Amino acid sequence: MTDRLDGKPVAAAIDARTRDAVRAGAPPSLVSVHRGVDSPFRFYLRRQARAAESVGVAFREAALGPTDGPEELVARLRELDRDPSVHAVLLEHPLPAPFDFRRAISELRPEKDVDGVGAVNLGRLVSQRPTHVPAVARAAIAIARHYRLPLEGEPVAVIGRSETVGLPLAICLAGRAEGMHATVTIAHSRTRDLGRSLAGARTIFSCVGQPGLLDREVVPEGAAIVDVGLSSVPDAAAKGGFRAAGDADPVVLDGWASALSPVPGGVGPVTVAELMSSAVRARDLLARGGSSG
Ligand code: NAP
């Protein structure tokens, strides 16, 4: 029997704390910057708007125009950084060329870089003094903690090493915060033998975006899986002809993995809840005049 690591109760607990925190000051404001109507980010934006309304965060979108390029994006972020009414800014990522995500995000002061993906925030995370930690990493960890998955002192694997998802998550898990101290293996596309790298792992965090990657061949029996991967796969029976899928194959892993977070309904809702919580943190940090870093 494989336990289902449902994200909804985890998100609900985070939202309850966020609502209390929101009331302790001025309404936090979050701006989500994206490329416009064609962006695959749109689905995530709708979720952000709903979650913000539910916890009391003032949310708005800042969409680039159809002819706007990298310079306009940089100018938009510079403007938002200067705007005292804005506490937190999220920038769509990944961004296609010619946009330069790194250059654009560097326009934000670390307190406003709410997803913690700018160079300063990633550096602070490595130095164990984070200002903001990427919401998806916090979400994956929140699920693992809620369901008491083996972490501290245990062999844990992270598959994926992007600087916005896999790597920050691995740094958190290996870090010195309470309940972390995991012994972390990081696998990626150049890993020669994924099954050998995962052998012995008690908890696996998969951050790839490749449906079916995790099956009985590579997952050690009894491991728990937090599935961060999110892909859209054709499905004639689904509304619109597509459905969301994670990296793990839930059918073949049923009865093999000890626990698995579903996609959808696992990491996704918790990520949005963590983002709202970070927006409140941004408000508080700015009110105190910044982070100590
Ligand atoms: P990404 O930048 O494309 O990174 C994917 C990572 O997977 C890379 O490190 C890549 O290795 C590795 N990889 C690719 N093929 C592999 C293989 N066969 N075996 C092992 N590793 C492999 O994607 P991302 O932005 O990190 O996002 C990862 C996944 O998380 C995506 O599915 C994304 O949609 C999802 N996501 C979900 C949420 C949520 O809220 N649920 C939020 C953010 C992201 P290399 O480094 O060698 O290329």
Side-chain angles (χ1 to χ4, degrees), residues 44 93-94 136 159-162 164-166 187-191 194 206-210 213 227-231 247 267-268 271:
Y44 190 35
H93 58 83
V136 64
I159 317 175
R161 59 173 169 180
S162 74
T164 51
V165 184
H188 45 75
S189 69
R190 304 275 183 104
T191 296
L194 185 59
S206 192
C207 320
V208 176
Q210 203 172 297
L213 178 70
D227 198 345
V228 179
L230 181 61
S231 306
D247 294 340
V267 175
T271 300

Side-chain angles (χ1 to χ4, degrees), residues 1-3 216 249-257 260:
M1 177 70 182
T2 298
D3 292 335
R216 289 189 182 208
D249 185 329
V251 177
V252 302
L253 287 171
D254 191 35
W256 180 266
L260 173 62

Side-chain angles (χ1 to χ4, degrees), residues 19 23 45-47 63 88-89 105-106 123 154 186 192 201 213 220 224 229 231 244 251 270 293:
R19 279 187 200 100
R23 283 193 284 270
L45 285 166
R46 278 197 294 276
R47 280 193 156 180
V89 180
I105 200 83
S106 70
E154 296 288 348
I186 303 175
R192 278 206 189 89
L213 178 70
S231 306
V251 177
V270 187

Side-chain angles (χ1 to χ4, degrees), residues 77-202:
L77 288 173
R78 197 171 291 158
E79 206 179 285
L80 291 167
D81 187 62
R82 287 195 193 125
D83 184 342
S85 72
V86 173
H87 301 123
V89 180
L90 183 75
L91 174 59
E92 166 185 354
H93 58 83
L95 279 174
F99 290 103
D100 182 343
F101 178 80
R102 287 269 137 236
R103 178 164 169 234
I105 200 83
S106 70
E107 292 295 332
L108 295 177
R109 69 194 73 189
E111 294 78 14
K112 288 199 183 189
D113 165 25
V114 70
D115 208 24
V117 287
V120 173
N121 276 332
L122 290 173
R124 288 182 182 175
L125 178 60
V126 171
S127 66
Q128 305 286 303
R129 299 182 73 182
T131 297
H132 292 297
V133 175
V136 64
R138 287 171 49 146
I141 289 170
I143 289 182
R145 293 180 101 144
H146 181 92
Y147 292 101
R148 300 178 189 278
L149 304 185
L151 294 179
E152 190 164 349
E154 296 288 348
V156 164
V158 176
I159 317 175
R161 59 173 169 180
S162 74
E163 59 202 48
T164 51
V165 184
L167 217 47
L169 173 59
I171 292 165
C172 291
L173 291 164
R176 297 173 192 278
E178 202 187 328
M180 298 293 97
H181 301 274
T183 304
V184 180
T185 297
I186 303 175
H188 45 75
S189 69
R190 304 275 183 104
T191 296
R192 278 206 189 89
D193 184 339
L194 185 59
R196 200 176 60 192
S197 300
L198 300 185
R202 295 197 61 203

Side-chain angles (χ1 to χ4, degrees), residues 18-89:
T18 302
R19 279 187 200 100
D20 287 345
V22 163
R23 283 193 284 270
S29 80
L30 168 66
V31 178
S32 215
V33 182
H34 63 94
R35 282 174 300 139
V37 283
D38 290 336
S39 162
F41 203 61
R42 288 215 66 79
F43 174 70
Y44 190 35
L45 285 166
R46 278 197 294 276
R47 280 193 156 180
Q48 286 169 30
R50 273 202 305 268
E53 194 183 352
S54 126
V55 297
V57 167
F59 174 77
R60 74 176 161 92
E61 295 178 30
L64 291 180
T67 57
D68 286 345
E71 293 310 320
E72 285 77 15
L73 176 62
V74 165
R76 184 66 67 94
L77 288 173
R78 197 171 291 158
E79 206 179 285
L80 291 167
D81 187 62
R82 287 195 193 125
D83 184 342
S85 72
V86 173
H87 301 123
V89 180

